[in-house]
Amino acid sequence: MRNIFIIILYTLRELFARKLFIAFGIISTLAIGIIWMILANGSVMINQFGNANPGYDEMEKIVLGFEVSAILFLSDLFILIAIFSCANLISSMLEKGTIDVFLSKPISRTQLLVGKYLGGVTFVFINMTYLVVGIFLVVSFYFNLWSFTVLLAIPVITFTFALLNIFLIISGLLTRGSALGMIVTYFYFIVLSPILAARDSISNFISSDILKQFLDFLYYLLPQVHDIVKTVFKQILLQNENVQYELLIYSTIFLIAGLAISFFIFEKKDL
Amino acid sequence: MEIIKIENLSKSYSSLKRKNNVLALDNVSLSVERGKIFGLLGQNGAGKTTLVKILLGLTHPTEGRFSLFGDSTNNYKNKKRIGYLPENHRFPNFLTAYQVLYYLGLLSELNYDGLKRKIFEALELVGLKGVEKKKVKTFSKGMMQRLGIAQAIIHNPDLIFLDEPTDGIDPIGRKEIRDILVRLKNENKTIFLNSHILSEVELITDNVAILHQGKLIKQGSISDLTAIENEYRITTDSELDTFLSKSDFVNFQLKKLNGFTYVLSGTDEDGLNKFVDLLRLNGITIKELIKQKLSLEEIFISLIKDLDKVK
Ligand SMILES: Nc1ncnc2c1ncn2[C@@H]1O[C@H](COP(=O)(O)OP(=O)(O)OP(=O)(O)O)[C@@H](O)[C@H]1O
Ligand SMILES: [Mg+2]
């Protein structure tokens, strides 16, 4: 436990030394500032909707909707930058001469890998906390309406990154570089995951049954990143009835299996 | 007590094309006693680094077994008692020398209190006092090497692996490092040294093994390896030419080296003493008498040459 904690700490330090915390901090602060300005100038618009004196429920929905769209938009951007930031954590650990030093200490390969993995996840968690709490405070103060459920965005987005980080870890272990990991993860996040999420509508254009089943197979095999963010998150926030909790379960299984595979690859590797 | 015991260790690095497979270690067996300095010698690519990496669990052997401290499970917790200086080591380059030692000290299960004192002791020992606040990315090669040695000994390990410890270090620094190693040995630590600087190895090691293309071709104590059987060098105050043809000593070969120095060969200690008696009877003063020795380098080169001839 102590070993993992030390590695997490120094992984964050590595990211800090690469000025990534500062970069994220600046982007978040800018985003929060812009939201504040939009609110300050656009308050009249919200009041012009429907009746002049909307009920509390209706008002809460409008505020939540506003927060959710802002956070969803920014979180996509954040995840793109986070992938870029964390892509070389594994390759820098595996550098010849560096890994030799670390593995000569009383730390197991699994502990080292878990530390690096969680280091990346913690990095995203810290930055998302700053962003989401910032937006939450600005919006809530402005409307004097405190919907704490919006803070769920922090774990949901961190979890999304934790899933994508599996791709980074496995590619890093296999190639000792960061390029493949970035390509695979970006491809999955930007292209494949949205396609799989929309496979029902796509199916209408596909005649081959095998292809349809293949898409279904991929959908359940790979983490449902796109759906988790967009659906689960929205459903929870907008108090929708049928929350797809099973998506979380599938993805957690993927996460555990992915970690197990990466431990296995690392354990077998000649360094 | 045997701290390291290696039995029939082989390692082949596989590549996509089977004929490019490298047999880096071929059935190597050896053991290292506690409290000794052991030198592993060999040309570039002989397999020295591979052997050490296997012992540290960085690389997996293809065949064979080994144990450290009598434990063959390769448990990572044993590494608390091990220090390692890898060849071409690197440290997280955003840290200072002090921070590197702090980080690695924490991983070596040293406690927060006391760590600071240990870091300064280690820095002082390797001659890096005063630069502890410099980022390691600004370090020269020799400074990096010294820092590498510091991290290998900071946790007071019982067994220390050093892969080319004096690589890139100036002559004074080399002497300092040799002194550190001898000091550690006197504290009953075991040191496993990889090197090709044979003159240095000869100065401090107790035992050596020579690897050639993955095979162990020679192993033994420095004094055994470098001694030449039945050969002595003798310096006197006058010519010995009259003895060169003495019939009593047909088995002897007395060769003139230079001046009044001769090489006497082909005799055991008994014969040597008889010869000395003879010289003394004839009123010759013996100024120096020593057992002939080869340097480690001479042995190494002749061994490798012989092997190449066989091919
Ligand atoms: N990761 C690897 N993959 C494939 N072959 C390797 C690998 N590491 C080492 N080798 C090969 O194994 C052999 C032994 O290499 P090793 O590094 O152990 O030599 P060495 O004795 O330490 O040499 P040097 O004195 O140059 O440090 C060499 O032929 C080398 O090419
Ligand atoms: Mg080597």
Side-chain angles (χ1 to χ4, degrees), chain B residues 43-50 87-88 163-164 194 196:
Chain B
Q43 290 171 288
N44 292 132
K48 305 181 294 294
T49 301
T50 303
E87 61 179 359
N88 307 320
D163 204 340
E164 308 288 352
N194 276 3
H196 6 235

Side-chain angles (χ1 to χ4, degrees), chain A residues 2 95 105 109 267 270, chain B residues 11 57 60 90 106 151:
Chain A
R2 177 181 138 121
E95 245 175 71
K105 305 297 169 199
R109 293 190 184 203
E267 205 57 52
D270 278 343
Chain B
K11 171 69 191 178
H60 305 289
R90 293 195 197 190
L106 287 180
Q151 63 81 26

Side-chain angles (χ1 to χ4, degrees), chain A residues 181-219:
Chain A
M182 252 154 68
I183 293 171
V184 168
T185 316
Y186 278 137
F187 176 75
Y188 186 71
F189 184 59
I190 301 171
V191 183
L192 192 57
S193 176
I195 289 180
L196 291 180
R199 71 200 185 292
D200 283 342
S201 20
I202 292 175
S203 290
N204 296 334
F205 302 100
I206 301 175
S207 51
S208 156
D209 269 349
I210 296 176
L211 194 58
K212 280 181 198 166
Q213 278 165 10
F214 181 65
L215 284 181
D216 271 356
F217 172 72
L218 279 185
Y219 180 78

Side-chain angles (χ1 to χ4, degrees), chain A residues 15-247:
Chain A
L15 292 163
F16 185 82
R18 283 165 47 205
K19 312 271 187 292
L20 289 165
F21 269 103
I22 296 172
F24 267 93
I26 290 174
I27 298 174
S28 299
T29 311
L30 273 178
I32 296 166
I34 290 171
I35 287 171
W36 183 74
M37 270 162 49
I38 291 176
L39 287 177
N41 297 318
S43 56
V44 200
M45 268 166 42
I46 292 180
N47 279 336
Q48 279 169 351
F49 275 114
N51 41 12
N53 214 349
Y56 185 85
D57 280 358
E58 206 170 326
M59 188 66 183
E60 188 180 19
K61 266 201 180 128
I62 293 169
V63 172
L64 269 176
F66 179 75
E67 279 178 311
V68 165
S69 355
I71 290 171
L72 278 181
F73 172 75
L74 287 167
S75 68
D76 273 1
L77 182 73
F78 263 47
I79 284 178
L80 290 179
I81 310 175
I83 291 170
F84 174 80
S85 310
C86 296
N88 77 348
L89 286 180
I90 292 298
S91 57
S92 83
M93 171 189 90
L94 287 179
E95 245 175 71
K96 275 212 182 332
T98 305
I99 188 71
D100 306 65
V101 171
F102 281 88
L103 288 186
S104 73
K105 305 297 169 199
I107 177 169
S108 70
R109 293 190 184 203
T110 304
Q111 289 169 348
L112 187 57
L113 195 61
V114 170
K116 284 282 160 185
Y117 174 79
L118 290 181
V121 174
T122 311
F123 171 71
V124 171
F125 176 76
I126 293 171
N127 285 302
M128 281 318 294
T129 304
Y130 178 67
L131 177 76
V132 172
V133 170
I135 293 178
F136 169 74
L137 288 179
V138 166
V139 174
S140 304
F141 263 119
Y142 185 80
F143 291 106
N144 195 20
L145 197 152
W146 301 77
S147 306
F148 286 92
T149 39
V150 80
L151 296 179
L152 270 175
I154 300 168
V156 170
I157 291 161
T158 306
F159 181 67
T160 307
F161 178 76
L163 293 170
L164 293 169
N165 202 11
I166 297 281
F167 291 114
L168 290 179
I169 298 271
I170 293 180
S171 324
L173 285 172
L174 290 176
T175 63
R176 280 181 174 241
S178 56
L180 182 76
M182 252 154 68
I183 293 171
V184 168
T185 316
Y186 278 137
F187 176 75
Y188 186 71
F189 184 59
I190 301 171
V191 183
L192 192 57
S193 176
I195 289 180
L196 291 180
R199 71 200 185 292
D200 283 342
S201 20
I202 292 175
S203 290
N204 296 334
F205 302 100
I206 301 175
S207 51
S208 156
D209 269 349
I210 296 176
L211 194 58
K212 280 181 198 166
Q213 278 165 10
F214 181 65
L215 284 181
D216 271 356
F217 172 72
L218 279 185
Y219 180 78
Y220 290 108
L221 179 74
L222 297 167
Q224 292 78 25
V225 175
H226 192 82
D227 275 353
I228 287 173
V229 183
K230 298 281 188 288
T231 319
V232 178
F233 183 36
K234 259 187 194 164
Q235 282 171 340
I236 291 174
L237 288 181
L238 303 177
Q239 286 130 31
N240 198 319
E241 297 289 293
N242 41 9
V243 176
Q244 290 172 277
Y245 285 114
E246 71 271 16
L247 287 182

Side-chain angles (χ1 to χ4, degrees), chain A residues 2 7 10 13-14 17 95 97-98 100 102-109 111 267-271, chain B residues 11 53 57-60 76 79 84 86 88-90 94 99 102-104 106-110 151:
Chain A
R2 177 181 138 121
I7 299 289
Y10 278 82
R13 214 163 157 168
E14 180 179 342
E95 245 175 71
T98 305
D100 306 65
F102 281 88
L103 288 186
S104 73
K105 305 297 169 199
I107 177 169
S108 70
R109 293 190 184 203
Q111 289 169 348
E267 205 57 52
K268 290 279 161 245
K269 209 169 172 63
D270 278 343
L271 298 161
Chain B
K11 171 69 191 178
K53 281 187 169 183
L58 283 154
T59 295
H60 305 289
Y76 73 91
K79 290 180 185 160
Y84 176 41
N88 307 320
H89 54 278
R90 293 195 197 190
F94 53 92
Q99 290 166 339
Y102 197 89
Y103 185 7
L104 297 174
L106 287 180
L107 286 179
S108 301
E109 300 187 9
L110 294 176
Q151 63 81 26

